[in-house]
Amino acid sequence: MRVFVAGGAGVLGRRLVPQLVARGHEVTATTTSGAKRQLLERLGAEAVVMDGLDAGSIGEAVAQARPEVIVHQMTAISGKPDIKHFDRWFATTNRLRTEGTDHLLAAAQATGVSHFVAQSYASWNGIREGGWIKTEQDPLDPTSTGKGAQAIRHLEEVVVKAGGAVLRYGAFYGPGATDDQVELIRKRQYPVIGNGAGYSSWVHLDDAASATVLAVEQRVKGVFNIVDDDPASAREWLPYLAECAGAKPPMRIPAWLARPLAGRTAVMMMTQGRGFSNAKAKRELGWQPRYPSWRQGFKEELS
């Protein structure tokens, strides 16, 4: 089928496009930079330069591609992580998840696109009450990342209302996904905060891509957690990631000290975060991650 991947040159898009092509799909993939057109063409896609915040640019690109499915992977997350100033770090991504989503849905409606799949997030941002592992029936924490949480809520509401699929990916790792974090870990600038009891869920980029292919081909609707089998606390995964990276064990700092240095979001993530279950994705998509645990994946990626 004809698949339009908005954000095809991103860290996940670069793993998704080849999988779609290998399955026989005709892929149009977008980038904001003309310099990345050749990258997308080497991956087997028809490359298009598109402004994800401009309704006209999106409408023209979708109309020319005439896709049967739109996959929304547009983000603007790059550079050194700045969790302390999360709203500032994610400002453009928040707009892509609100304005960009609305523009893509409008283009889909205008051109008769029959299915829509969008990227959401489910790593540590489950509602902070009850158990440590959340399903799709549990709400996301509306206070987890300020405006970022509001943007995710908007994306999920409008996509589900339109009959599309929302894929809540865990924290990405794989080629190009954790380089900045590993650099901070090697510099011992990524400490375990407080008791490190907060949970996170991870997913390898290739597994996230394979789940997305299934969502496209099966035209599923609703919300799916795309995470591995092994949600874990910060005091488990962070020292292990440091070990795999050949770094010294991370420092540990109390929450009261971390709050002014790293911000409330970092403290919340490491002390109160909730991970996620992938049971629905396995059951309804027939998805089986190649990397069932970050323990295997971290070691392979950094060895």
Side-chain angles (χ1 to χ4, degrees):
M1 69 180 73
R2 295 186 304 278
V3 183
F4 185 93
V5 181
V11 67
L12 178 56
R14 294 195 298 269
R15 313 302 288 187
L16 172 61
V17 168
Q19 289 196 29
L20 287 167
V21 172
R23 300 274 286 194
H25 300 294
E26 181 181 329
V27 180
T28 298
T30 78
T31 175
T32 59
S33 169
K36 293 183 178 179
R37 290 181 64 120
Q38 289 187 343
L39 165 66
L40 292 173
E41 290 169 354
R42 287 197 299 271
L43 296 177
E46 178 75 22
V48 175
V49 176
M50 185 185 81
D51 182 347
L53 294 174
D54 183 88
S57 178
I58 290 175
E60 181 180 354
V62 172
Q64 289 183 355
R66 298 181 298 106
E68 297 163 85
V69 181
I70 290 177
V71 182
H72 177 3
Q73 298 288 354
M74 297 189 300
T75 62
I77 308 168
S78 61
K80 183 178 178 180
D82 189 5
I83 295 177
K84 183 177 181 180
H85 306 102
F86 207 94
D87 285 343
R88 183 172 67 193
W89 181 34
F90 262 67
T92 302
T93 294
N94 292 341
R95 291 186 64 196
L96 289 167
R97 286 175 170 165
T98 52
E99 299 168 44
T101 302
D102 291 345
H103 295 332
L104 279 170
L105 285 170
Q109 183 177 21
T111 54
V113 176
S114 59
H115 192 44
F116 196 97
V117 178
Q119 175 187 142
S120 187
Y121 181 69
S123 176
W124 56 271
N125 53 323
I127 192 74
R128 288 177 293 135
E129 56 186 45
W132 291 96
I133 311 302
K134 303 301 181 183
T135 72
E136 291 82 355
Q137 299 301 312
D138 297 300
L140 299 179
D141 185 348
T143 67
S144 58
T145 55
K147 293 179 181 178
Q150 298 172 25
I152 286 174
R153 183 167 63 249
H154 173 85
L155 178 147
E156 293 195 352
E157 288 177 352
V158 296
V159 171
V160 170
K161 183 178 180 180
V166 169
L167 303 185
R168 290 178 173 171
Y169 301 113
F172 291 145
Y173 70 94
T178 53
D179 295 354
D180 295 320
Q181 293 180 62
V182 169
E183 182 180 352
L184 291 175
I185 288 169
R186 286 175 172 153
K187 293 178 179 178
R188 303 201 81 195
Q189 295 177 356
Y190 202 142
V192 176
I193 295 173
N195 60 9
Y199 271 65
S200 293
S201 287
W202 293 84
V203 67
H204 191 282
L205 288 168
D206 288 338
D207 286 329
S210 69
T212 308
V213 172
L214 292 173
V216 166
E217 293 180 341
Q218 297 177 27
R219 296 177 176 266
V220 294
K221 300 179 180 181
V223 178
F224 296 83
N225 296 334
I226 307 300
V227 299
D228 72 16
D229 299 347
D230 194 14
S233 63
R235 63 189 175 211
E236 295 177 86
W237 66 258
L238 185 49
Y240 186 80
L241 180 55
E243 179 185 340
C244 292
K248 294 180 180 180
M251 294 187 291
R252 290 176 175 264
I253 63 174
W256 66 265
L257 179 58
R259 194 166 287 107
L261 294 175
R264 65 179 292 275
T265 298
V267 174
M268 184 190 306
M269 175 180 71
M270 287 206 177
T271 61
Q272 301 179 57
R274 264 51 172 184
F276 293 84
S277 165
N278 64 13
K280 180 181 178 181
K282 285 185 167 184
R283 182 179 66 250
E284 298 189 16
L285 295 178
W287 177 63
Q288 290 293 332
R290 177 184 174 190
Y291 298 92
S293 172
W294 47 271
R295 300 173 197 274
Q296 170 197 0
F298 287 177
K299 186 174 183 180
E300 289 191 18
E301 287 297 322
L302 293 170
S303 61

